[in-house]
Amino acid sequence: MTESITITDNRSGESVEIPISGGAVDGAQWRELLGPVWFRDPALGNTAATDSAITELDGEAGILRYRGYPIEQLAEKSTYLEVAYLLINGELPTQDQYDTWVHEITHHTYIHESFRSGIFDAFHYDAHPMGMLISTVAGLSTFYPEAKEIDDPEVRHEQVVRLIAKLPTLAAAAFRHSQGLPFVFPDNDLDYSTNFLSMMFKMAEDDYATDPALQRALDILFILHADHEQNCSTTTARIVGSSHADPYSTVAAACAGLYGPRHGGANEAVLKMLADIGSYDQVDAFIDSVKTGDGRLMGFGHRVYKNHDPRATIIKAAAHDVFEVTGQNPLLDIALKLEEAALADSYFIDRKLYPNVDFYSGLIYQSMGFPTEVFTVLFAIARTSGWLAHWSEMLEQNSRIARPRQVYTGPEARDYATIDTR
Ligand code: CMC
């Protein structure tokens, strides 16, 4: 059977046969025949904007793989920094490569003192940490002007290291500022996740220590959030990066894409929703209100997963390990009842709405002591490696600047009328 599609332009009777390659057809060939007739595809739900070798996602089968490795194996056996290396370089590191990578990341965690004091102090005491993170990531570009040399692989590598290393430092600084707490300097003797926890929560103790189960849970959450192919924030990174903006501006734009409640802000929204529901016996009424169009069940549904989100399954298991250390989160009962009620309800079944990665992650974060305003920041730390992997891939593909078309629906040409005649 020929793997191709033939389209006919009924205006001219002309046809074109376009091969199907890798599950896609080449838009440029359609254009040859159709001229200025564009595909109306708002939200790009039917458009493969790129070829990519980073993350494979099969939403029907509930499969997620980074560079071919199943997410379940990475969550069980790997570390976040190893996964970051894999995403960016395409292969798991050897021991020597891993040691060098960890050393590099560990030794780029500091931010310039004037940046820390000058910029963070300018924010209001109750500034949202994501707003501070977006601004300060963009601000880093002013400290590393050489980052504009995006064609130089060594310069690119250095910025990748800096961004992965400094994101937790900026995130923790934003949190400490919002709490009126003094900044905690990075501790190069700690692993990536523990160092972040130390910068967040260390008080007067000499050496920060955390329960290994909590450190591991955070590392797993970082692994699960590290990449998810062409989602909103990653697409933002690719689009902004396609203009050849520096990587700090690119990652800041991606952070902004992540901030919204439909994307990375959903974990914060889930906790607010659970708190608003308030008690177990209000769950049914809440489900009814969602079905009548009064808001959404946050943490449910996904553009691509129409069966189950494999990350949600792993997170649910990790939640139990965390609760063994921290005690059960009082909102867990509401979440479990909500999940059970939604999964049995035809509204959610018919629309293929299942718990996504954010349904349980917020409960874990809250039990570990993170305030809700920091949840999206945690997502941003993890996703930075994914954004940078896509940014590097896009540059290596020599991609053109992103520039979609539109279908103009405004007024026809008309003459300007002076204000006294309107
Ligand atoms: N609660 C209630 N109804 C929903 C929900 C929900 N969470 N999600 C989708 N629907 C309904 C929607 O109203 C629509 O119904 P109808 O056909 O009657 O109009 C139908 O399901 C299809 O929805 P859609 O808006 O076309 O779906 P989408 O693919 O555009 O949206 C989504 C995907 C994730 C934005 C959406 O499911 C949603 O808003 N979920 C809640 C927010 C959330 O949890 N986001 C985190 C996503 S996973 C983490 C990440 O990658 O950022």
Side-chain angles (χ1 to χ4, degrees), residues 76-398:
E76 189 192 335
K77 297 177 180 160
S78 190
T79 64
Y80 172 68
L81 281 190
E82 188 178 51
V83 166
Y85 184 99
L86 171 70
L87 288 169
I88 287 161
N89 298 291
E91 296 296 337
L92 287 168
T94 62
Q95 188 65 53
D96 279 354
Q97 287 168 330
Y98 183 66
D99 292 345
T100 306
W101 174 244
V102 172
H103 184 270
E104 279 186 302
I105 302 284
T106 308
H107 288 84
H108 283 87
T109 46
Y110 274 62
I111 49 176
H112 197 288
E113 262 306 282
S114 64
F115 185 74
R116 186 185 64 75
S117 53
I119 296 191
F120 278 103
D121 285 353
F123 286 108
H124 207 37
Y125 71 94
D126 60 354
H128 194 286
M130 268 310 274
M132 289 192 264
L133 187 74
I134 293 165
S135 317
T136 51
V137 171
L140 279 183
S141 70
T142 64
F143 279 79
Y144 305 110
E146 74 276 18
K148 289 185 171 57
E149 307 297 327
I150 55 162
D151 292 327
D152 183 330
E154 269 180 45
V155 173
R156 261 190 352 229
H157 173 76
E158 195 161 19
Q159 314 321 312
V160 166
V161 167
R162 281 183 176 140
L163 272 159
I164 294 174
K166 291 184 203 306
L167 248 285
T169 315
L170 293 178
F175 167 69
R176 303 283 293 201
H177 176 79
S178 69
Q179 301 292 301
L181 289 167
F183 178 70
V184 175
F185 287 99
D187 183 340
N188 291 353
D189 291 331
L190 300 177
D191 65 81
Y192 192 77
S193 298
T194 310
N195 177 45
F196 175 58
L197 290 169
S198 159
M199 290 189 290
M200 289 287 295
F201 299 126
K202 187 169 186 284
M203 298 304 283
E205 66 271 39
D206 286 338
D207 293 312
Y208 179 82
T210 189
D211 191 294
L214 300 187
Q215 181 278 337
R216 184 63 197 151
L218 188 60
D219 226 42
I220 290 173
L221 282 157
F222 283 167
I223 291 170
L224 299 180
H225 284 88
D227 195 45
H228 213 231
E229 51 119 302
Q230 311 303 321
N231 55 84
C232 173
S233 57
T234 303
T235 300
T236 305
R238 289 188 88 120
I239 288 181
V240 173
S242 80
S243 76
H244 286 184
D246 70 79
Y248 300 99
S249 307
T250 301
V251 170
C255 284
L258 188 73
Y259 192 4
R262 286 175 163 185
H263 189 13
N267 48 20
E268 187 177 338
V270 170
L271 260 279
K272 289 204 172 95
M273 175 188 74
L274 294 175
D276 286 348
I277 294 173
S279 71
Y280 197 75
D281 53 13
Q282 291 302 313
V283 166
D284 290 336
F286 177 77
I287 291 275
D288 287 343
S289 72
V290 169
K291 284 159 60 179
T292 53
D294 188 12
R296 288 194 164 193
L297 174 49
M298 301 310 287
F300 258 66
H302 200 276
R303 172 63 59 79
V304 183
Y305 293 122
K306 299 298 175 195
N307 178 325
H308 77 279
D309 181 340
R311 302 168 301 173
T313 314
I314 299 168
I315 284 189
K316 202 171 167 184
H320 290 292
D321 296 343
V322 169
F323 298 153
E324 274 193 17
V325 179
T326 62
Q328 186 160 311
N329 188 313
L331 295 175
L332 180 67
D333 280 346
I334 301 177
L336 288 169
K337 171 97 192 283
L338 206 50
E339 182 185 9
E340 189 187 302
L343 291 180
D345 192 300
S346 60
Y347 175 94
F348 297 91
I349 296 169
D350 293 349
R351 288 169 180 77
K352 301 188 173 180
L353 302 170
Y354 297 91
N356 60 48
V357 68
D358 286 325
F359 193 67
Y360 284 103
S361 63
L363 288 173
I364 302 185
Y365 292 146
Q366 190 183 56
S367 293
M368 289 176 76
F370 292 106
T372 43
E373 295 75 30
V374 173
F375 292 177
T376 313
V377 168
L378 297 168
F379 197 156
I381 292 173
R383 189 54 62 86
T384 296
S385 56
W387 292 328
L388 291 166
H390 284 271
W391 173 72
S392 304
E393 183 181 69
M394 187 257 324
L395 291 176
E396 277 154 26
Q397 288 167 336
N398 264 328

